[in-house]
Amino acid sequence: MEITYASPSSTDFADGSSMPTSTRPVRIIPLQHPSTTSSSSSASSSTWAALSRWKSKVQSMTWVEWLEVFLPCTRWIRTYKWREYLQVDLMSGITVGVMLVPQSMSYAKLAGLEPIYGLYSGFVPLFVYAIFGSSRQLAVGPVALVSLLVSNVLSGIVDSSDELYTEMAILLAFMVGVMECLLGLLRLGWIIRFISHSVISGFTTASAIVIALSQAKYFLGYNVARSSKIVPLIKSIISGADGFSWPPFVMGSVILAVLLIMKHLGKTRKCLRFLRAAGPITAVLSGTIFVKIFNPSSISLVGDIPQGLPSFSIPRAFGYATSLIPTALLITGVAILESVGIAKALAAKNGYELDSNQELFGLGVANIFGSFFSAYPTTGSFSRSAVNHESGAKTGLSGLVMGVLMGCALLFMTPLFEYIPQCALAAIVISAVIGLVDYDEAIFLWGVDKKDFLLWTITSTTTLFLGIEIGVLVGVGVSLAFVIHESANPHIAVLGRLPGTTVYRNTQQYPEAYTYNGIVIVRIDAPIYFANISYIKDRLREYEVEVDRSMSRGPEVERIYFVIIEMAPVTYIDSSAVQALKDLHQEYKLRDIQIAISNPNREVLMTLSSAGVVDLIGKEWYFVRVHDAVQVCLQHVQSLKETPKAADPSSEERLTSFQRLIKQRTEDSSVAELESGSKDIDPQLEPLLSRKSS
């Protein structure tokens, strides 16, 4: 596209004839404008193209690929390297299995269940996940946070000593599994992205403190109120201080110290990595040996644990399903946040692809089958998965080894578990959750982003004082409020031209960039839709009035004549924004201001074209680059600034060819000054307008 404006050009002076009036061409890159028909047909054709691609992909899939979709374990089974993988898988499976046995009993006690149900939860789900799960290093089973959630909701409905309590915990596993499967099949795992990392960190930090305080009763020797709020727990601990017993406190403290030392050495010393996994079994063995030798009456023991594998049974207590839905949703959210996040990180470290939705489906199937064998909700464990990865696990075979080890414990070792001190299991829980107290994250957020630090503080405080459910709801609500606020108040920048270039950048980021009198260049760094269009309109009006003239160049005019909107970052524009753009155009038209649009993407341009905005503003005011728009607008501002003068033919005729040449060079110099805005800058460094002769 070529737009031509009246301006003198050099001519051939050889013949000494008078200089004719000619035009000075300004060449700009043409912008392709789609028609309304082509835009609608293009949208429909793109939809059909996507459907056809999906159909062809499905038709081209082989039976092996279909098998990998439904049974992800076939991916590593088909490529298993026996000599390279077998030994490390066996060792890592045994290592984590030894860690899982005492942890599962500890977490079952935290959930308000008998230790045997923790062992059941660490048995069947491991085998099922190894078949349907897509992660090769994730270690599933009971975890502290889910156990606390189970205890928190069920203790408010029925007493933990009642059989109904156990039935509801098993039903909860079934409900969580169904929800996870549905989210995976419908590919809705992306919903959880709206919860920020600050909310997760604040929630887990507060939960870890509550979990640690809930285990204090096994250290102190007297009962403490069961609650997910910190105030009732502290009140209960203080009020029952007269029942304090020294033996369990000393034993629990010593075991906890040993666990923390072994955990620290296992993390910091590569040659002592085995200590991290050996910590829980060491605590159990040392506590059991002490009890067998000295038989102290003041230390409570786990007691009798049924021997044998769990039997098949259908979950019951479906009459309470409605009241369990919020907790099932919360546990599902924790599974997505923790398990899928850990699984994706481990997959990236080990060089294979992992589908979040398929992973969610695998966790769901594991929970459903687990509920048929008396398991309460399970998910991926951060600590055990880390140990599994550090031990060198290559495939899901390590998970099968964990399951076999748990089966052996159920068949042959439960008589030995009878003498495990309760304070030893409590020490295992406390040592595991101490790592969840993420104060380093709070310090980091304070230095990086005060808004995220505020979000972390709100979530952790409400979780501590108002309970887990309210804490999560408040944290998610505030997080979404921040998202909505950022979306409704997008970043808008005034652009200026960098000296010696045709590049336009934010004037606040680049103070040396300058603007032109009579022209405002604005960049909108967000999609434009109903929630933010009012804010954008208000800011555009402000820019029209509040113009920084200290860095402005070009013709001396008193007001704004052109508003150039850079739309490169705008990925989407809705009908409300289109109507607002029309209204803004009418407002500007009444004040003799012209809108110019720069670099809209294809979808935005088709929307504007379909709505008639392109024709309303004028096709000639749509440009590929900001530079093109500035060229045209600057010419218009200059023409408004100059007052036309009648030419004197007699004086023109009296000019010699040499005089006409001097005049032409003077005019070209004035054009260069117009472009650069200053007489001190070399015109060759400010190539805004074409000076090519016509």
Side-chain angles (χ1 to χ4, degrees):
M1 176 169 71
E2 180 175 300
I3 300 178
T4 306
Y5 299 100
S7 177
S9 296
S10 59
T11 55
D12 185 7
F13 300 104
D15 57 359
S17 61
S18 62
M19 184 183 69
T21 302
S22 62
T23 59
R24 189 173 200 278
V26 178
R27 298 182 183 276
I28 64 174
I29 301 173
L31 180 70
Q32 301 296 325
H33 290 275
S35 64
T36 305
T37 305
S38 64
S39 63
S40 59
S41 62
S42 176
S44 60
S45 63
S46 61
T47 304
W48 280 111
L51 289 174
S52 62
R53 284 196 301 270
W54 178 82
K55 182 179 178 181
S56 61
K57 182 179 179 181
V58 170
Q59 291 176 342
S60 62
M61 288 179 65
T62 63
W63 67 271
V64 175
E65 292 173 330
W66 279 111
L67 191 62
E68 289 179 351
V69 169
F70 293 103
L71 296 174
C73 63
T74 56
R75 297 174 185 172
W76 57 265
I77 291 176
R78 291 192 305 108
T79 59
Y80 197 84
K81 301 177 182 178
W82 292 95
R83 292 184 179 180
E84 185 177 344
Y85 292 168
L86 183 60
Q87 183 177 357
V88 291
D89 280 344
L90 289 175
M91 290 303 299
S92 58
I94 293 171
T95 302
V96 181
V98 168
M99 186 180 181
L100 173 62
V101 172
Q103 273 193 350
S104 61
M105 291 188 289
S106 304
Y107 294 148
K109 295 292 292 182
L110 175 60
L113 298 166
E114 293 297 323
I116 186 63
Y117 292 101
L119 297 174
Y120 290 161
S121 301
F123 179 54
V124 172
L126 271 69
F127 290 101
V128 178
Y129 179 81
I131 297 171
F132 293 97
S134 52
S135 176
R136 303 174 190 179
Q137 285 79 30
L138 188 70
V140 300
V143 297
L145 188 53
V146 171
S147 300
L148 178 64
L149 293 172
V150 171
S151 170
N152 181 54
V153 67
L154 297 186
S155 60
I157 301 175
V158 64
D159 188 79
S160 60
S161 59
D162 197 318
E163 186 180 350
L164 180 61
Y165 187 98
T166 303
E167 293 177 358
M168 292 175 67
I170 296 171
L171 174 63
L172 197 55
F174 179 79
M175 294 175 63
V176 168
V178 171
M179 290 181 180
E180 288 174 340
C181 286
L182 287 175
L183 287 175
L185 291 172
L186 298 176
R187 308 191 70 81
L188 296 177
W190 56 268
I191 293 176
I192 212 70
R193 298 175 192 168
F194 288 99
I195 302 179
S196 71
H197 179 71
S198 304
V199 172
I200 302 168
S201 176
F203 171 68
T204 54
T205 297
S207 299
I209 295 172
V210 171
I211 290 170
L213 288 175
S214 70
Q215 298 299 294
K217 61 182 179 181
Y218 300 114
F219 275 59
L220 302 175
Y222 58 87
N223 286 329
V224 175
R226 185 185 296 273
S227 176
S228 63
K229 304 173 187 176
I230 191 171
V231 174
L233 283 170
I234 293 177
K235 282 184 177 180
S236 180
I237 291 172
I238 295 173
S239 62
D242 54 349
F244 177 76
S245 176
W246 280 104
F249 180 78
V250 173
M251 174 179 275
S253 299
V254 170
I255 292 175
L256 179 59
V258 171
L259 282 169
L260 293 177
I261 292 171
M262 294 179 70
K263 188 176 182 180
H264 176 72
L265 291 175
K267 282 185 175 180
T268 56
R269 306 291 178 84
K270 192 173 182 179
C271 58
L272 299 176
R273 285 185 305 182
F274 67 93
L275 291 179
R276 184 179 178 186
I281 196 68
T282 302
V284 168
L285 287 175
S286 59
T288 303
I289 292 171
F290 181 84
V291 168
K292 290 287 286 184
I293 294 174
F294 297 101
N295 196 24
S297 58
S298 57
I299 295 178
S300 60
L301 306 178
V302 170
D304 183 47
I305 295 179
Q307 188 173 4
L309 301 179
S311 58
F312 179 86
S313 62
I314 302 296
R316 291 172 286 183
F318 278 97
Y320 295 89
T322 304
S323 60
L324 296 178
I325 289 176
T327 305
L329 285 170
L330 189 56
I331 294 174
T332 303
V334 170
I336 300 174
L337 291 171
E338 290 193 356
S339 302
V340 177
I342 298 166
K344 293 191 76 171
L346 293 175
K349 288 183 179 180
N350 289 274
Y352 62 90
E353 294 291 330
L354 186 139
D355 185 351
S356 300
N357 294 291
Q358 193 171 38
E359 179 67 12
L360 201 56
F361 178 77
L363 289 169
V365 175
N367 270 306
I368 290 173
F369 276 88
S371 68
F372 295 149
F373 293 91
S374 304
Y376 76 97
T378 59
T379 188
S381 167
F382 180 81
S383 59
R384 294 195 298 271
S385 299
V387 172
N388 197 32
H389 169 68
E390 292 167 2
S391 301
K394 297 296 183 182
T395 67
L397 182 62
S398 62
L400 296 176
V401 175
M402 296 177 213
V404 170
L405 198 64
M406 181 63 75
C408 293
L410 285 167
L411 287 172
F412 309 112
M413 299 177 65
T414 50
L416 301 176
F417 297 157
E418 180 181 348
Y419 300 98
I420 297 175
Q422 300 253 32
C423 59
L425 296 181
I428 293 173
V429 173
I430 294 173
S431 68
V433 300
I434 282 178
L436 297 178
V437 181
D438 202 0
Y439 58 87
D440 288 335
E441 179 70 12
I443 297 171
F444 171 77
L445 293 175
W446 174 260
V448 174
D449 192 338
K450 299 294 190 296
K451 183 186 68 177
D452 281 342
F453 174 79
L454 177 63
L455 187 58
W456 187 94
T457 305
I458 290 172
T459 305
S460 57
T461 303
T462 52
T463 302
L464 277 174
F465 291 96
L466 301 179
I468 291 176
E469 287 86 354
I470 296 177
V472 170
L473 290 176
V474 170
V476 172
V478 175
S479 180
L480 290 176
F482 282 160
V483 171
I484 293 170
H485 178 269
E486 291 295 327
S487 179
N489 299 271
H491 180 262
I492 303 176
V494 174
L495 304 185
R497 182 179 171 212
L498 297 180
T501 71
T502 59
V503 177
Y504 294 79
R505 291 292 183 265
N506 188 346
T507 54
Q508 292 185 348
Q509 185 177 359
Y510 298 91
E512 69 275 14
Y514 57 83
T515 58
Y516 291 97
N517 293 320
I519 303 172
V520 174
I521 310 167
V522 178
R523 186 186 67 213
I524 302 172
D525 296 326
I528 307 176
Y529 66 112
F530 66 93
N532 63 14
I533 187 60
S534 297
Y535 174 82
I536 293 172
K537 286 176 66 177
D538 293 340
R539 294 299 302 273
L540 289 175
R541 294 189 187 101
E542 291 176 12
Y543 292 140
E544 177 192 343
V545 178
E546 301 173 6
V547 180
D548 183 10
R549 300 187 182 277
S550 61
M551 292 297 291
S552 295
R553 303 185 180 187
E556 295 296 333
V557 292
E558 298 301 323
R559 69 179 186 86
I560 297 298
Y561 288 97
F562 296 94
V563 176
I564 301 172
I565 303 176
E566 160 71 301
M567 281 195 169
V570 179
T571 57
Y572 168 74
I573 184 169
D574 72 350
S575 58
S576 300
V578 167
Q579 186 59 46
L581 200 58
K582 290 181 179 180
D583 296 340
L584 187 65
H585 171 73
Q586 295 300 330
E587 292 178 27
Y588 280 158
K589 191 174 181 181
L590 294 174
R591 298 197 296 273
D592 195 23
I593 298 174
Q594 177 64 51
I595 294 179
I597 306 295
S598 169
N599 196 22
N601 69 29
R602 177 180 173 82
E603 287 74 18
V604 170
L605 189 57
M606 286 195 299
T607 302
L608 295 176
S609 178
S610 301
V613 178
V614 171
D615 294 328
L616 180 66
I617 296 176
K619 290 185 177 181
E620 68 274 13
W621 294 108
Y622 287 77
F623 303 92
V624 173
R625 303 177 299 168
V626 173
H627 185 59
D628 297 336
V630 173
Q631 286 188 98
V632 175
C633 294
L634 194 58
Q635 284 276 21
H636 277 278
V637 174
Q638 177 67 10
S639 65
L640 292 170
K641 170 70 173 151
E642 295 175 346
T643 302
K645 297 181 180 180
D648 184 0
S650 59
S651 61
E652 185 70 25
E653 290 175 357
R654 288 196 295 270
L655 293 175
T656 63
S657 298
F658 179 74
Q659 289 172 327
R660 289 198 298 270
L661 179 60
I662 294 299
K663 179 182 177 182
Q664 175 63 32
R665 289 184 176 177
T666 303
E667 290 171 344
D668 280 349
S669 177
S670 67
V671 171
E673 292 172 11
L674 167 65
E675 296 172 355
S676 64
S678 173
K679 296 182 180 180
D680 301 328
I681 297 179
D682 183 359
Q684 298 302 322
L685 297 178
E686 301 290 335
L688 183 60
L689 299 176
S690 172
R691 285 185 287 277
K692 183 179 179 180
S693 301
S694 58

